[in-house]
Amino acid sequence: MKNLRKSQGFTLIEIMVVIVILGVLGALVVPNIMGRTGEARIKAATVDLRAISSQLDLYRMDNFVYPSSDQGLEALVTKPSGFPEAKNWVEPYLKRVPKDPWGNEYQYISPGSSGPYDLFSLGADGKPGGEGEAADLFASEL
């Protein structure tokens, strides 16, 4: 009977040790995970910009020109009406025009300042310029 009483449960000390260990692990892991959200959003925007650039190149191969600024990225989703240069538009190049990871529209200007088009995200702040997560991301720089 004495042996049964000793093995019935955990002592308060054992429970406190487990709680302290979980607290230390949480203090080490949570900051590492939380600090990476900005980095993950930048990588997601980079992937989006590359995918949109690829679809713009396919559009150009089919129609011999890139969509104009007036047509915008919507020309990759629905056939531009009233534009004879889109006569070879066959099917949607994108299912929908994505937003950047911060919820803003990707910016598209054609012709671009240093090429056939400029495709970019304004970053976390949604304004030109900035540093870190707020920096602009350009497809031409990827």
Side-chain angles (χ1 to χ4, degrees), residues 36-137:
R36 303 256 178 173
T37 56
E39 199 175 300
R41 286 184 176 156
I42 291 170
K43 286 184 181 181
T46 301
V47 169
D48 281 351
L49 289 169
R50 284 185 181 144
I52 295 169
S53 291
S54 295
Q55 297 310 310
L56 284 166
D57 291 339
L58 286 175
Y59 181 97
R60 182 182 175 275
M61 285 174 36
D62 290 344
N63 299 292
F64 308 107
V65 294
Y66 287 103
S68 67
S69 293
D70 292 336
Q71 294 168 324
L73 295 176
E74 191 62 36
L76 300 175
V77 178
T78 57
K79 183 175 182 177
S81 59
F83 292 95
E85 66 270 6
K87 65 183 174 190
N88 294 327
W89 197 97
V90 180
E91 58 185 47
Y93 297 89
L94 294 172
K95 290 182 180 180
R96 61 177 175 76
V97 178
K99 290 192 174 194
D100 70 14
W102 301 279
N104 302 316
E105 301 287 332
Y106 285 105
Q107 305 297 307
Y108 174 76
I109 301 169
S110 179
S113 59
S114 61
Y117 63 85
D118 289 338
L119 176 64
F120 57 98
S121 167
L122 294 173
D125 62 357
K127 299 175 185 172
E131 294 180 10
E133 194 177 345
D136 299 346
L137 297 170

Side-chain angles (χ1 to χ4, degrees), residues 5-26:
R5 271 193 217 157
K6 286 186 177 181
S7 65
Q8 284 183 352
F10 298 106
T11 65
L12 181 60
I13 299 288
E14 291 170 329
I15 293 172
M16 294 299 291
V17 168
V18 170
I19 290 173
V20 168
I21 290 171
L22 290 174
V24 169
L25 287 174

